[in-house]
Amino acid sequence: MSNEFEDNDVEYIVMIQQVKEQWRQLISEQLVLLAKEKSIDENELLKAGPLSVQIPPKPEMGDLAFPLFPFAKVFRSSPAQIVSMLKERLVGVCGVSESSILPAGPYLNIRLDVSSLARDVYTRVSNEKDSYGHTSYLKGKRIMVEFSCPNTNKPLHLGHLRNDAIGESVSAILKANGAEVQKVNLINNRGVHICKSMLAYQKFSDGETPESAGIKGDHLVGKYYVRFAQWEKEDPSATEQAQQMLKKWENGDEEVLSLWNRMNGWTIDGVEQTYKKTGVSFDAYYYESDTYMLGKDNILKGLENGVFYKEEDGSVWIDLSEINLDKKVVLRKDGTSLYLTQDIGTAIQRHEKWPFDSLIYVVASEQSYHFKVLFYVLEKLGYEWAKDLHHLSYGMVNLPDGKMKSREGTVVDADDLFDSLTSLAKQEIIGKAREDIVGDVDKVSASIALGALNYYLLQTTTTKDMIFNPDDSISFSGNTGPYLQYMGARISSMLKKWDEMKHDFDGIEFDPAVLDLQEERELIKQIALFPSLVLEGAKEYNPSVITSYLYDLSRLFSRYYHDHAVLKAQSSVLIKARVTLVEMVLQVLKNAYALVGIPFLESM
RNA sequence: GCGCCAAUAGCUCAGUUGGAUAGAGCAACAGCCUUCUAAGCUGUGGGUCAGAGGUUCGAAUCCUCUUUGGCGUACCA
C-alpha cells in the first residue's frame, strides 16, 4: 500500500541507492553489449526483464547481488556462465577492479568501495546532524493526522497507547520527509455513554471531586462509568434514564450541561496528564459536541440534492450499492445525529480551518467499514478532497487470554502500566547502583519506561493485531527499547572520555580507509541506508520500519564495540576513524529514536 | 450468509520489487565482568512458513480453493 502522493518532481537522494543504481546501469549495459556480440535480438533480451539488484544474505558474500537466472534462456547459457562472461567484460573493458567482483554461482556479487561511501556518509551526517536521514519527499504537503480520540467517560487504556504511539510516530516520520503536519485530537464528549458516568455520579458520588478524593480526574469519572454498569444490572431503568439525560443535554438543560462541563473537564485534565507523561501532544483539538450540528446541516443539504433519501419514518439513508455495500442510516428518525454524522461535520470543519493535502485517521481496524462509508458520503456530497482522506487502520491489542473487556475488568489502564514500567526501571537503576551516575533517577526511569513502551507497541507491523504480554512488556533485556537506549548511553559515555583526550588528536583527519573490518563496513552501510527507511516509513505509514532498523543498527554496533577497542585502538588514525564512526552511529540512533518516541539518554 | 484481515520456532514478532542455507528476542542449556556501562557479548538446541493445487528457471512472498482465528456487516461510538 502506498499513499496518494506521486514520486515525480520529488528529489530525494539516497546514497546507497545511487550506488546500487550505478552498478545496475553498468552491468545492464554490459549485458546488452554481450547480447549484441552473440547476435541476440534486443527484444528477446528485453523479455528477460530489467536486471534486479539485491543484497546478499551474508556480508562476506559482497554488498550487492545481481541474480542472472532470467537471462539464461536468452543467452542459452547457464546463469553462472553469464556471470563469468560479465566479469570478464567488467574487468577487461570497464576497468573494474577484479577484487570487487565476487561471482557466486548464478549471482554476480559486487563488493563496494565502502571507504568512499563512508566519506559521503560522513559529509552528510556532519552537515545535516539532527536532520540526517530526512528527505524532501513530502515537501510542501500539508498533512493532518488524527489520533487518540478519547471518550470523556473513562481514562486511557492500552489501545489508546498503541494509537498514540502510532499517531506520534507517523507524524514524526511524515515531518522528517518534509511535510507540514498538524496533529489533531477529537474528543468524544457527546453521546449516551458520556451520560452514563454522569448519571452514576449524580446518584452515587456525594459530590466528591478529584481533589477531595485524591484521584486523577479521568479515573474518578471512569469509576462512575463502572458504577453505572453495576447499577444497570440491578435497575433495568438505568439505560432509559441515561437516554433521558441525553435528551436533556441536547435540549440545553442547564443542570445537565454544567455537570457535563465539570466532568469533561476532569477527564480531559487527567488525560492531558497522561499525554504529558507519554510524550503525546496535539496542534489542535476538535470536540464532537461542536461538529455534530454541521454534519447534520450537510446531511439535510445532501437530502435536497438527492444524495440521500428519506424513509417513511423520517430517517435519512444513503444507498451504498455503488461501492458494493448495503445502505446506511445517516440521520435518526428523531432527527438526531450519529457517529457518522458527527464525523462528516468534523472533516468539513477541518478542511475549512486548515486545508490539507491529506488527512490520516489513525483508528483501529474494526472501524474500516465506518471510514469506507464516511469517505464515500463526503465524495457524494461533492467535497473534492474526499479522495485525500486515509484510514490508517491499525490492529487490535489483545491480551494473552484474549480480548480486553471492560466488563470483565481486563482492560489495561494506561497510567497503571506506565507507572509500573517506571518503577521497574527505577528498581533496575538502584539494583545496579547507578543513581549517582544517572542523576535524576525519576526522570530517567520515566524515559526508560517510555522507550520500552513505545518500542514494544511500534515494533509490530501497524496493520496487524498484536498480543500484549505484560511479562514481556516489562522486560528490559533483549529486543527492547532500553536495549536501544543503552547503545546511545554507552556511546555517550565513551564520547565523554573522548572529549578529555581529543586534543591529542587535533592534527589527525578522518581516514575512512582504515575502517576495513567487516563490522565497520556493515555499520557504514547501515548508516547510509537510514534515509531510505525514513522514506519507506512515510510511504507505508509504518513506524515498524524504523524500529527494526534501529534494532539492526544497535546489534551491529553492540557486537562491534564489544570486540574492538575504540579509544584504545592501535593507532591514532584508527582511533580517530573509529570515534568518527561511533559519532555517526550515535547521530543516527538519535535521529531514529526521535521518529519512534524513544527518549535519548546520555546515561542510564 | 456476505465483506475485510490474518495464520512463520514452545511464546512474541521480523522477513524488501518473488531469489542463495527462512531470521531475531523471550524461554532452556553452556560460556564471558581487575578490559570504552554485563540493561551487554558468544555458543547449543528448536521450522511440513496452516493445508492442497497453480503461475515461475525459482514461492513464506503472487493466484485459486480448503481449514482455523479475528473484525465488521447497529437508528452504539
mmCIF file of all heavy atoms in Angstrom, chain B residues 15 17-20 49 53-63:
data_model
loop_
_atom_site.group_PDB
_atom_site.id
_atom_site.type_symbol
_atom_site.label_atom_id
_atom_site.label_comp_id
_atom_site.label_asym_id
_atom_site.label_seq_id
_atom_site.Cartn_x
_atom_site.Cartn_y
_atom_site.Cartn_z
ATOM 1 P P G B 15 8.332 -7.326 8.177
ATOM 2 O OP1 G B 15 8.395 -5.946 7.639
ATOM 3 O OP2 G B 15 7.030 -7.998 8.380
ATOM 4 O "O5'" G B 15 9.229 -8.281 7.267
ATOM 5 C "C5'" G B 15 10.557 -7.909 6.940
ATOM 6 C "C4'" G B 15 11.266 -9.103 6.372
ATOM 7 O "O4'" G B 15 11.308 -10.155 7.359
ATOM 8 C "C3'" G B 15 10.599 -9.765 5.180
ATOM 9 O "O3'" G B 15 10.832 -9.072 3.984
ATOM 10 C "C2'" G B 15 11.258 -11.140 5.205
ATOM 11 O "O2'" G B 15 12.573 -11.104 4.738
ATOM 12 C "C1'" G B 15 11.252 -11.416 6.703
ATOM 13 N N9 G B 15 10.010 -12.105 7.092
ATOM 14 C C8 G B 15 8.919 -11.573 7.729
ATOM 15 N N7 G B 15 7.953 -12.442 7.912
ATOM 16 C C5 G B 15 8.450 -13.612 7.365
ATOM 17 C C6 G B 15 7.870 -14.908 7.258
ATOM 18 O O6 G B 15 6.760 -15.277 7.646
ATOM 19 N N1 G B 15 8.710 -15.811 6.620
ATOM 20 C C2 G B 15 9.955 -15.515 6.145
ATOM 21 N N2 G B 15 10.617 -16.504 5.560
ATOM 22 N N3 G B 15 10.516 -14.316 6.237
ATOM 23 C C4 G B 15 9.718 -13.424 6.850
ATOM 24 P P U B 17 8.841 -4.823 -1.598
ATOM 25 O OP1 U B 17 8.873 -3.501 -2.250
ATOM 26 O OP2 U B 17 7.864 -5.097 -0.551
ATOM 27 O "O5'" U B 17 8.669 -5.951 -2.706
ATOM 28 C "C5'" U B 17 7.604 -5.842 -3.624
ATOM 29 C "C4'" U B 17 8.099 -5.682 -5.016
ATOM 30 O "O4'" U B 17 9.253 -4.801 -5.047
ATOM 31 C "C3'" U B 17 8.628 -6.955 -5.685
ATOM 32 O "O3'" U B 17 7.587 -7.796 -6.135
ATOM 33 C "C2'" U B 17 9.483 -6.376 -6.803
ATOM 34 O "O2'" U B 17 8.695 -5.909 -7.860
ATOM 35 C "C1'" U B 17 10.139 -5.201 -6.090
ATOM 36 N N1 U B 17 11.444 -5.595 -5.514
ATOM 37 C C2 U B 17 12.532 -5.648 -6.362
ATOM 38 O O2 U B 17 12.453 -5.385 -7.552
ATOM 39 N N3 U B 17 13.705 -6.025 -5.791
ATOM 40 C C4 U B 17 13.915 -6.379 -4.472
ATOM 41 O O4 U B 17 15.033 -6.712 -4.107
ATOM 42 C C5 U B 17 12.739 -6.315 -3.645
ATOM 43 C C6 U B 17 11.571 -5.928 -4.190
ATOM 44 P P G B 18 7.939 -9.266 -6.634
ATOM 45 O OP1 G B 18 8.831 -9.242 -7.797
ATOM 46 O OP2 G B 18 6.646 -9.992 -6.716
ATOM 47 O "O5'" G B 18 8.825 -9.799 -5.426
ATOM 48 C "C5'" G B 18 8.315 -10.482 -4.352
ATOM 49 C "C4'" G B 18 8.891 -11.873 -4.276
ATOM 50 O "O4'" G B 18 8.268 -12.695 -5.298
ATOM 51 C "C3'" G B 18 10.382 -11.974 -4.496
ATOM 52 O "O3'" G B 18 10.865 -12.948 -3.585
ATOM 53 C "C2'" G B 18 10.502 -12.507 -5.918
ATOM 54 O "O2'" G B 18 11.678 -13.271 -6.119
ATOM 55 C "C1'" G B 18 9.269 -13.395 -5.974
ATOM 56 N N9 G B 18 8.770 -13.690 -7.314
ATOM 57 C C8 G B 18 8.350 -12.817 -8.273
ATOM 58 N N7 G B 18 7.943 -13.428 -9.364
ATOM 59 C C5 G B 18 8.114 -14.786 -9.089
ATOM 60 C C6 G B 18 7.850 -15.920 -9.878
ATOM 61 O O6 G B 18 7.388 -15.964 -11.021
ATOM 62 N N1 G B 18 8.166 -17.094 -9.234
ATOM 63 C C2 G B 18 8.679 -17.169 -7.968
ATOM 64 N N2 G B 18 8.926 -18.389 -7.506
ATOM 65 N N3 G B 18 8.926 -16.122 -7.201
ATOM 66 C C4 G B 18 8.629 -14.962 -7.825
ATOM 67 P P G B 19 12.193 -12.719 -2.732
ATOM 68 O OP1 G B 19 11.787 -12.803 -1.338
ATOM 69 O OP2 G B 19 12.986 -11.599 -3.253
ATOM 70 O "O5'" G B 19 12.946 -14.058 -3.088
ATOM 71 C "C5'" G B 19 14.131 -14.328 -2.398
ATOM 72 C "C4'" G B 19 14.978 -15.235 -3.240
ATOM 73 O "O4'" G B 19 14.673 -15.145 -4.641
ATOM 74 C "C3'" G B 19 16.448 -14.912 -3.072
ATOM 75 O "O3'" G B 19 17.139 -16.078 -2.682
ATOM 76 C "C2'" G B 19 16.852 -14.398 -4.461
ATOM 77 O "O2'" G B 19 18.152 -14.763 -4.760
ATOM 78 C "C1'" G B 19 15.878 -15.120 -5.363
ATOM 79 N N9 G B 19 15.618 -14.524 -6.661
ATOM 80 C C8 G B 19 15.254 -13.240 -6.959
ATOM 81 N N7 G B 19 15.028 -13.051 -8.242
ATOM 82 C C5 G B 19 15.266 -14.296 -8.807
ATOM 83 C C6 G B 19 15.177 -14.729 -10.140
ATOM 84 O O6 G B 19 14.849 -14.073 -11.134
ATOM 85 N N1 G B 19 15.487 -16.052 -10.293
ATOM 86 C C2 G B 19 15.854 -16.892 -9.257
ATOM 87 N N2 G B 19 16.111 -18.149 -9.569
ATOM 88 N N3 G B 19 15.939 -16.519 -7.995
ATOM 89 C C4 G B 19 15.635 -15.207 -7.852
ATOM 90 P P A B 20 16.847 -16.538 -1.112
ATOM 91 O OP1 A B 20 15.523 -17.170 -1.003
ATOM 92 O OP2 A B 20 17.282 -15.540 -0.112
ATOM 93 O "O5'" A B 20 17.920 -17.690 -1.164
ATOM 94 C "C5'" A B 20 17.835 -18.712 -2.152
ATOM 95 C "C4'" A B 20 19.216 -19.293 -2.318
ATOM 96 O "O4'" A B 20 20.047 -18.334 -3.014
ATOM 97 C "C3'" A B 20 19.906 -19.591 -0.993
ATOM 98 O "O3'" A B 20 20.676 -20.771 -1.146
ATOM 99 C "C2'" A B 20 20.837 -18.399 -0.794
ATOM 100 O "O2'" A B 20 22.000 -18.709 -0.065
ATOM 101 C "C1'" A B 20 21.201 -18.060 -2.237
ATOM 102 N N9 A B 20 21.534 -16.636 -2.424
ATOM 103 C C8 A B 20 20.755 -15.552 -2.130
ATOM 104 N N7 A B 20 21.306 -14.396 -2.423
ATOM 105 C C5 A B 20 22.542 -14.754 -2.931
ATOM 106 C C6 A B 20 23.618 -14.000 -3.420
ATOM 107 N N6 A B 20 23.610 -12.670 -3.480
ATOM 108 N N1 A B 20 24.710 -14.648 -3.844
ATOM 109 C C2 A B 20 24.714 -15.985 -3.780
ATOM 110 N N3 A B 20 23.767 -16.810 -3.344
ATOM 111 C C4 A B 20 22.702 -16.133 -2.933
ATOM 112 P P C B 49 7.109 -25.557 5.589
ATOM 113 O OP1 C B 49 6.488 -25.281 4.285
ATOM 114 O OP2 C B 49 8.550 -25.578 5.785
ATOM 115 O "O5'" C B 49 6.510 -24.569 6.676
ATOM 116 C "C5'" C B 49 5.171 -24.113 6.587
ATOM 117 C "C4'" C B 49 5.062 -22.741 7.187
ATOM 118 O "O4'" C B 49 6.358 -22.125 7.269
ATOM 119 C "C3'" C B 49 4.189 -21.794 6.366
ATOM 120 O "O3'" C B 49 3.421 -21.026 7.267
ATOM 121 C "C2'" C B 49 5.185 -20.936 5.626
ATOM 122 O "O2'" C B 49 4.709 -19.659 5.342
ATOM 123 C "C1'" C B 49 6.339 -20.862 6.653
ATOM 124 N N1 C B 49 7.639 -20.608 6.020
ATOM 125 C C2 C B 49 8.154 -19.303 6.028
ATOM 126 O O2 C B 49 7.497 -18.404 6.564
ATOM 127 N N3 C B 49 9.342 -19.065 5.453
ATOM 128 C C4 C B 49 10.024 -20.060 4.895
ATOM 129 N N4 C B 49 11.194 -19.779 4.350
ATOM 130 C C5 C B 49 9.518 -21.400 4.859
ATOM 131 C C6 C B 49 8.336 -21.620 5.428
ATOM 132 P P G B 53 -0.525 -30.903 -3.645
ATOM 133 O OP1 G B 53 0.128 -32.188 -3.964
ATOM 134 O OP2 G B 53 0.293 -29.705 -3.352
ATOM 135 O "O5'" G B 53 -1.546 -30.558 -4.816
ATOM 136 C "C5'" G B 53 -1.094 -29.850 -5.925
ATOM 137 C "C4'" G B 53 -2.251 -29.145 -6.575
ATOM 138 O "O4'" G B 53 -2.983 -28.365 -5.582
ATOM 139 C "C3'" G B 53 -1.803 -28.124 -7.600
ATOM 140 O "O3'" G B 53 -1.541 -28.755 -8.849
ATOM 141 C "C2'" G B 53 -2.959 -27.146 -7.609
ATOM 142 O "O2'" G B 53 -4.072 -27.637 -8.324
ATOM 143 C "C1'" G B 53 -3.271 -27.075 -6.115
ATOM 144 N N9 G B 53 -2.413 -26.094 -5.442
ATOM 145 C C8 G B 53 -1.445 -26.351 -4.498
ATOM 146 N N7 G B 53 -0.829 -25.276 -4.094
ATOM 147 C C5 G B 53 -1.419 -24.246 -4.812
ATOM 148 C C6 G B 53 -1.168 -22.852 -4.799
ATOM 149 O O6 G B 53 -0.352 -22.214 -4.134
ATOM 150 N N1 G B 53 -1.989 -22.165 -5.696
ATOM 151 C C2 G B 53 -2.944 -22.767 -6.496
ATOM 152 N N2 G B 53 -3.642 -21.937 -7.272
ATOM 153 N N3 G B 53 -3.192 -24.058 -6.508
ATOM 154 C C4 G B 53 -2.397 -24.736 -5.652
ATOM 155 P P G B 54 -0.107 -28.532 -9.491
ATOM 156 O OP1 G B 54 0.032 -29.483 -10.620
ATOM 157 O OP2 G B 54 0.905 -28.515 -8.418
ATOM 158 O "O5'" G B 54 -0.277 -27.061 -10.073
ATOM 159 C "C5'" G B 54 -1.379 -26.783 -10.931
ATOM 160 C "C4'" G B 54 -1.614 -25.302 -11.040
ATOM 161 O "O4'" G B 54 -1.824 -24.728 -9.728
ATOM 162 C "C3'" G B 54 -0.452 -24.485 -11.590
ATOM 163 O "O3'" G B 54 -0.337 -24.616 -12.988
ATOM 164 C "C2'" G B 54 -0.837 -23.086 -11.143
ATOM 165 O "O2'" G B 54 -1.859 -22.551 -11.959
ATOM 166 C "C1'" G B 54 -1.414 -23.359 -9.750
ATOM 167 N N9 G B 54 -0.423 -23.127 -8.688
ATOM 168 C C8 G B 54 0.188 -24.053 -7.877
ATOM 169 N N7 G B 54 1.023 -23.510 -7.024
ATOM 170 C C5 G B 54 0.955 -22.148 -7.294
ATOM 171 C C6 G B 54 1.632 -21.048 -6.693
ATOM 172 O O6 G B 54 2.455 -21.065 -5.765
ATOM 173 N N1 G B 54 1.274 -19.839 -7.272
ATOM 174 C C2 G B 54 0.376 -19.700 -8.309
ATOM 175 N N2 G B 54 0.147 -18.458 -8.737
ATOM 176 N N3 G B 54 -0.272 -20.708 -8.871
ATOM 177 C C4 G B 54 0.070 -21.890 -8.317
ATOM 178 P P U B 55 1.098 -24.550 -13.693
ATOM 179 O OP1 U B 55 0.930 -24.884 -15.117
ATOM 180 O OP2 U B 55 2.056 -25.312 -12.846
ATOM 181 O "O5'" U B 55 1.440 -23.007 -13.578
ATOM 182 C "C5'" U B 55 0.639 -22.043 -14.265
ATOM 183 C "C4'" U B 55 1.151 -20.649 -13.983
ATOM 184 O "O4'" U B 55 0.941 -20.334 -12.581
ATOM 185 C "C3'" U B 55 2.643 -20.463 -14.180
ATOM 186 O "O3'" U B 55 2.974 -20.242 -15.544
ATOM 187 C "C2'" U B 55 2.915 -19.228 -13.312
ATOM 188 O "O2'" U B 55 2.499 -18.038 -13.951
ATOM 189 C "C1'" U B 55 1.993 -19.495 -12.119
ATOM 190 N N1 U B 55 2.696 -20.189 -11.025
ATOM 191 C C2 U B 55 3.447 -19.411 -10.160
ATOM 192 O O2 U B 55 3.542 -18.204 -10.270
ATOM 193 N N3 U B 55 4.082 -20.100 -9.161
ATOM 194 C C4 U B 55 4.052 -21.460 -8.944
ATOM 195 O O4 U B 55 4.675 -21.937 -7.990
ATOM 196 C C5 U B 55 3.261 -22.193 -9.876
ATOM 197 C C6 U B 55 2.623 -21.546 -10.860
ATOM 198 P P U B 56 4.186 -21.070 -16.199
ATOM 199 O OP1 U B 56 4.269 -20.659 -17.618
ATOM 200 O OP2 U B 56 4.071 -22.499 -15.831
ATOM 201 O "O5'" U B 56 5.446 -20.468 -15.434
ATOM 202 C "C5'" U B 56 5.805 -19.104 -15.600
ATOM 203 C "C4'" U B 56 6.938 -18.766 -14.681
ATOM 204 O "O4'" U B 56 6.494 -18.889 -13.302
ATOM 205 C "C3'" U B 56 8.142 -19.697 -14.759
ATOM 206 O "O3'" U B 56 8.990 -19.367 -15.851
ATOM 207 C "C2'" U B 56 8.807 -19.447 -13.407
ATOM 208 O "O2'" U B 56 9.548 -18.249 -13.410
ATOM 209 C "C1'" U B 56 7.585 -19.276 -12.493
ATOM 210 N N1 U B 56 7.235 -20.529 -11.792
ATOM 211 C C2 U B 56 7.787 -20.710 -10.529
ATOM 212 O O2 U B 56 8.510 -19.893 -9.996
ATOM 213 N N3 U B 56 7.458 -21.896 -9.912
ATOM 214 C C4 U B 56 6.661 -22.883 -10.420
ATOM 215 O O4 U B 56 6.457 -23.895 -9.752
ATOM 216 C C5 U B 56 6.127 -22.632 -11.731
ATOM 217 C C6 U B 56 6.433 -21.486 -12.348
ATOM 218 P P C B 57 9.724 -20.551 -16.684
ATOM 219 O OP1 C B 57 10.439 -19.866 -17.782
ATOM 220 O OP2 C B 57 8.747 -21.646 -16.927
ATOM 221 O "O5'" C B 57 10.806 -21.104 -15.640
ATOM 222 C "C5'" C B 57 11.505 -22.310 -15.934
ATOM 223 C "C4'" C B 57 12.648 -22.471 -14.964
ATOM 224 O "O4'" C B 57 13.636 -21.425 -15.228
ATOM 225 C "C3'" C B 57 12.299 -22.274 -13.503
ATOM 226 O "O3'" C B 57 11.776 -23.456 -12.943
ATOM 227 C "C2'" C B 57 13.643 -21.890 -12.890
ATOM 228 O "O2'" C B 57 14.468 -23.011 -12.715
ATOM 229 C "C1'" C B 57 14.230 -21.009 -14.003
ATOM 230 N N1 C B 57 13.957 -19.568 -13.824
ATOM 231 C C2 C B 57 14.624 -18.865 -12.801
ATOM 232 O O2 C B 57 15.390 -19.480 -12.065
ATOM 233 N N3 C B 57 14.393 -17.554 -12.644
ATOM 234 C C4 C B 57 13.537 -16.924 -13.462
ATOM 235 N N4 C B 57 13.345 -15.625 -13.263
ATOM 236 C C5 C B 57 12.854 -17.606 -14.497
ATOM 237 C C6 C B 57 13.087 -18.915 -14.662
ATOM 238 P P G B 58 10.492 -23.397 -12.010
ATOM 239 O OP1 G B 58 10.169 -24.780 -11.579
ATOM 240 O OP2 G B 58 9.473 -22.593 -12.707
ATOM 241 O "O5'" G B 58 11.042 -22.605 -10.755
ATOM 242 C "C5'" G B 58 11.939 -23.261 -9.855
ATOM 243 C "C4'" G B 58 12.414 -22.307 -8.812
ATOM 244 O "O4'" G B 58 13.080 -21.183 -9.448
ATOM 245 C "C3'" G B 58 11.324 -21.649 -7.975
ATOM 246 O "O3'" G B 58 10.930 -22.501 -6.917
ATOM 247 C "C2'" G B 58 12.032 -20.388 -7.471
ATOM 248 O "O2'" G B 58 12.889 -20.696 -6.394
ATOM 249 C "C1'" G B 58 12.883 -20.009 -8.687
ATOM 250 N N9 G B 58 12.242 -19.011 -9.541
ATOM 251 C C8 G B 58 11.638 -19.224 -10.745
ATOM 252 N N7 G B 58 11.166 -18.138 -11.286
ATOM 253 C C5 G B 58 11.486 -17.136 -10.377
ATOM 254 C C6 G B 58 11.242 -15.744 -10.416
ATOM 255 O O6 G B 58 10.666 -15.086 -11.297
ATOM 256 N N1 G B 58 11.732 -15.102 -9.291
ATOM 257 C C2 G B 58 12.373 -15.728 -8.260
ATOM 258 N N2 G B 58 12.771 -14.943 -7.264
ATOM 259 N N3 G B 58 12.624 -17.025 -8.208
ATOM 260 C C4 G B 58 12.157 -17.665 -9.293
ATOM 261 P P A B 59 9.572 -22.317 -6.168
ATOM 262 O OP1 A B 59 9.661 -23.276 -5.051
ATOM 263 O OP2 A B 59 8.468 -22.410 -7.130
ATOM 264 O "O5'" A B 59 9.598 -20.812 -5.608
ATOM 265 C "C5'" A B 59 10.348 -20.473 -4.442
ATOM 266 C "C4'" A B 59 9.441 -19.795 -3.424
ATOM 267 O "O4'" A B 59 8.670 -18.767 -4.109
ATOM 268 C "C3'" A B 59 8.417 -20.709 -2.758
ATOM 269 O "O3'" A B 59 8.177 -20.233 -1.438
ATOM 270 C "C2'" A B 59 7.168 -20.511 -3.608
ATOM 271 O "O2'" A B 59 5.992 -20.753 -2.893
ATOM 272 C "C1'" A B 59 7.290 -19.024 -3.932
ATOM 273 N N9 A B 59 6.591 -18.598 -5.149
ATOM 274 C C8 A B 59 6.092 -19.383 -6.159
ATOM 275 N N7 A B 59 5.513 -18.705 -7.121
ATOM 276 C C5 A B 59 5.640 -17.386 -6.715
ATOM 277 C C6 A B 59 5.231 -16.175 -7.287
ATOM 278 N N6 A B 59 4.586 -16.092 -8.457
ATOM 279 N N1 A B 59 5.499 -15.045 -6.622
ATOM 280 C C2 A B 59 6.157 -15.130 -5.459
ATOM 281 N N3 A B 59 6.595 -16.204 -4.820
ATOM 282 C C4 A B 59 6.298 -17.309 -5.503
ATOM 283 P P A B 60 9.081 -20.752 -0.257
ATOM 284 O OP1 A B 60 10.391 -20.102 -0.338
ATOM 285 O OP2 A B 60 8.985 -22.241 -0.205
ATOM 286 O "O5'" A B 60 8.331 -20.203 1.041
ATOM 287 C "C5'" A B 60 7.034 -20.683 1.375
ATOM 288 C "C4'" A B 60 6.294 -19.644 2.176
ATOM 289 O "O4'" A B 60 7.208 -19.044 3.125
ATOM 290 C "C3'" A B 60 5.748 -18.481 1.353
ATOM 291 O "O3'" A B 60 4.475 -18.760 0.859
ATOM 292 C "C2'" A B 60 5.715 -17.350 2.368
ATOM 293 O "O2'" A B 60 4.546 -17.415 3.173
ATOM 294 C "C1'" A B 60 6.932 -17.667 3.251
ATOM 295 N N9 A B 60 8.132 -16.913 2.869
ATOM 296 C C8 A B 60 9.301 -17.407 2.350
ATOM 297 N N7 A B 60 10.211 -16.488 2.133
ATOM 298 C C5 A B 60 9.593 -15.309 2.541
ATOM 299 C C6 A B 60 10.018 -13.980 2.558
ATOM 300 N N6 A B 60 11.230 -13.587 2.164
ATOM 301 N N1 A B 60 9.162 -13.049 3.026
ATOM 302 C C2 A B 60 7.967 -13.446 3.436
ATOM 303 N N3 A B 60 7.433 -14.674 3.472
ATOM 304 C C4 A B 60 8.312 -15.566 3.001
ATOM 305 P P U B 61 4.027 -18.268 -0.582
ATOM 306 O OP1 U B 61 2.589 -18.523 -0.681
ATOM 307 O OP2 U B 61 4.968 -18.830 -1.554
ATOM 308 O "O5'" U B 61 4.273 -16.690 -0.560
ATOM 309 C "C5'" U B 61 3.464 -15.830 0.241
ATOM 310 C "C4'" U B 61 3.965 -14.412 0.120
ATOM 311 O "O4'" U B 61 5.388 -14.410 0.412
ATOM 312 C "C3'" U B 61 3.789 -13.797 -1.262
ATOM 313 O "O3'" U B 61 3.377 -12.457 -1.142
ATOM 314 C "C2'" U B 61 5.192 -13.896 -1.871
ATOM 315 O "O2'" U B 61 5.468 -12.870 -2.781
ATOM 316 C "C1'" U B 61 6.081 -13.767 -0.639
ATOM 317 N N1 U B 61 7.380 -14.433 -0.809
ATOM 318 C C2 U B 61 8.528 -13.663 -0.799
ATOM 319 O O2 U B 61 8.505 -12.462 -0.647
ATOM 320 N N3 U B 61 9.695 -14.356 -0.972
ATOM 321 C C4 U B 61 9.840 -15.704 -1.152
ATOM 322 O O4 U B 61 10.954 -16.185 -1.287
ATOM 323 C C5 U B 61 8.602 -16.440 -1.152
ATOM 324 C C6 U B 61 7.441 -15.791 -0.990
ATOM 325 P P C B 62 1.835 -12.141 -1.334
ATOM 326 O OP1 C B 62 1.653 -10.698 -1.078
ATOM 327 O OP2 C B 62 1.055 -13.132 -0.578
ATOM 328 O "O5'" C B 62 1.607 -12.445 -2.888
ATOM 329 C "C5'" C B 62 1.718 -11.390 -3.833
ATOM 330 C "C4'" C B 62 1.304 -11.894 -5.194
ATOM 331 O "O4'" C B 62 2.345 -12.775 -5.716
ATOM 332 C "C3'" C B 62 0.058 -12.774 -5.205
ATOM 333 O "O3'" C B 62 -1.126 -11.997 -5.216
ATOM 334 C "C2'" C B 62 0.243 -13.558 -6.492
ATOM 335 O "O2'" C B 62 -0.084 -12.795 -7.622
ATOM 336 C "C1'" C B 62 1.749 -13.811 -6.474
ATOM 337 N N1 C B 62 2.118 -15.112 -5.864
ATOM 338 C C2 C B 62 1.826 -16.290 -6.574
ATOM 339 O O2 C B 62 1.265 -16.211 -7.660
ATOM 340 N N3 C B 62 2.163 -17.480 -6.034
ATOM 341 C C4 C B 62 2.759 -17.526 -4.846
ATOM 342 N N4 C B 62 3.082 -18.726 -4.356
ATOM 343 C C5 C B 62 3.064 -16.348 -4.104
ATOM 344 C C6 C B 62 2.729 -15.169 -4.647
ATOM 345 P P C B 63 -2.468 -12.551 -4.585
ATOM 346 O OP1 C B 63 -3.423 -11.428 -4.525
ATOM 347 O OP2 C B 63 -2.142 -13.300 -3.349
ATOM 348 O "O5'" C B 63 -2.949 -13.595 -5.676
ATOM 349 C "C5'" C B 63 -3.407 -13.157 -6.944
ATOM 350 C "C4'" C B 63 -3.921 -14.342 -7.719
ATOM 351 O "O4'" C B 63 -2.814 -15.240 -7.999
ATOM 352 C "C3'" C B 63 -4.927 -15.205 -6.976
ATOM 353 O "O3'" C B 63 -6.234 -14.696 -7.068
ATOM 354 C "C2'" C B 63 -4.768 -16.547 -7.688
ATOM 355 O "O2'" C B 63 -5.456 -16.574 -8.913
ATOM 356 C "C1'" C B 63 -3.266 -16.580 -7.943
ATOM 357 N N1 C B 63 -2.515 -17.288 -6.882
ATOM 358 C C2 C B 63 -2.483 -18.692 -6.906
ATOM 359 O O2 C B 63 -3.106 -19.284 -7.795
ATOM 360 N N3 C B 63 -1.797 -19.349 -5.939
ATOM 361 C C4 C B 63 -1.145 -18.667 -5.000
ATOM 362 N N4 C B 63 -0.477 -19.364 -4.084
ATOM 363 C C5 C B 63 -1.164 -17.248 -4.953
ATOM 364 C C6 C B 63 -1.854 -16.600 -5.905
#
